[in-house]
Amino acid sequence: TPLYTLSLHDALPISLALYREALAIDPSLLAARSALERLHEAEGNWAELVALLEADLGDLAEAPEAAARKLHLSLLQRRAELLEEHLDAPERARQAWEDVLAVAPSHLPALRALGRIHAAAGRWEALIGLFRSEADAANDAEGAAEYVLRIAGILDRRLESPDEAIAAYREVLTLAPAHLPAMDALARLYRDRGDHESLVEVLRAEVAVRAAPAERAALLVEVGRLWEGPLGQPAQAVEA
């Protein structure tokens, strides 16, 4: 039967078979693969689309090396996106995104997607590992500092590990010495544990960064009170 005489419903299986046959002949034929994806996506056949991508991934083992390199990462990413966004399969999506990272360890969409999945599941240690990978892949120190800040926040608020949180916040300041959120967090932790000398150190650093005179004055007053009171060095209080 000529394809043009069939209804869309009847023509779809034939179209799918033709595109699959084209891909069997030439696995690098992007037009055929894109057409198959488009048909499944238009019909909302997400499971079939994932199966198509997985079949394509299997075919790559026998494809020419250049074609395999060209398609492999894009197929892995597309499969992971579908599993996460359309099939409500977080564990399969997690594994699919990890497959992407196995091929491209600095793949930011995969790192971010795994971050979402781990956070939703409360896998904080795994999320810390991801943020560490993102920090290592950052283009500059300021970008790395933001990921280390997220690590510190998890250690601080989710895992309640103040010693490790302090170390992470201090790492942020090594990367970005004027990072006020890290300074504020360190000051809070030092107050909570009564580490007055360390608190004075971070408050003095914050004085050098704050622009508003009233904020700088309030910090200096706190430093003076610490020297005068808990630290028992009133002469230092006068200098503060």
Side-chain angles (χ1 to χ4, degrees):
T1 303
L3 190 59
Y4 63 81
T5 66
L6 300 175
S7 68
L8 179 61
H9 175 76
D10 293 330
L12 182 60
I14 297 174
S15 298
L16 290 172
L18 290 172
Y19 287 131
R20 285 189 178 280
E21 185 177 351
L23 281 178
I25 295 170
D26 182 1
S28 68
L29 192 60
L30 291 176
R33 189 178 70 80
S34 298
L36 277 171
E37 285 194 19
R38 187 170 61 251
L39 288 173
H40 282 311
E41 190 164 358
E43 293 293 309
N45 296 329
W46 307 117
E48 289 85 349
L49 183 50
V50 169
L52 167 67
L53 296 175
E54 290 177 340
D56 289 343
L57 285 166
D59 291 341
L60 286 178
E62 300 178 3
E65 185 178 352
R69 285 200 305 267
K70 188 173 183 180
L71 293 176
H72 194 204
L73 184 59
S74 63
L75 288 173
L76 288 171
Q77 180 174 348
R78 181 67 172 139
R79 179 184 63 171
E81 290 169 346
L82 290 169
L83 288 167
E84 183 183 4
E85 297 170 13
H86 295 289
L87 291 179
D88 191 24
E91 281 306 305
R92 288 184 68 194
R94 177 187 61 77
Q95 183 58 59
W97 282 118
E98 288 178 353
D99 289 344
V100 174
L101 286 184
V103 174
S106 299
H107 193 278
L108 287 180
L111 289 168
R112 290 166 183 161
L114 282 168
R116 291 191 298 270
I117 293 169
H118 288 317
R123 290 191 288 260
W124 304 117
E125 295 287 355
L127 189 54
I128 286 173
L130 282 173
F131 286 151
R132 177 58 65 186
S133 295
E134 292 196 64
D136 292 342
N139 293 326
D140 52 42
E142 288 75 13
E146 292 307 312
Y147 289 115
V148 178
L149 183 69
R150 296 183 192 184
I151 292 172
I154 293 172
L155 293 166
D156 185 2
R157 294 184 292 274
R158 298 292 186 177
L159 298 180
E160 298 182 352
S161 300
D163 291 341
E164 292 180 80
I166 285 171
Y169 284 127
R170 293 188 74 90
E171 183 181 352
V172 173
L173 293 179
T174 299
L175 294 164
H179 199 290
L180 285 171
M183 291 181 184
D184 288 340
L186 276 173
R188 170 177 51 79
L189 288 169
Y190 288 143
R191 289 188 191 98
D192 289 346
R193 71 193 315 175
D195 187 345
H196 305 300
E197 290 187 4
S198 297
L199 178 56
V200 165
E201 176 190 357
V202 74
L203 291 176
R204 282 191 171 278
E206 193 171 348
V207 167
V209 174
R210 293 286 182 186
E215 293 177 343
R216 297 177 67 210
L219 292 168
L220 288 170
V221 167
E222 184 175 1
V223 170
R225 288 173 176 167
L226 288 166
W227 282 122
E228 185 179 3
L231 293 174
Q233 299 185 47
Q236 293 285 353
V238 173
E239 291 182 14

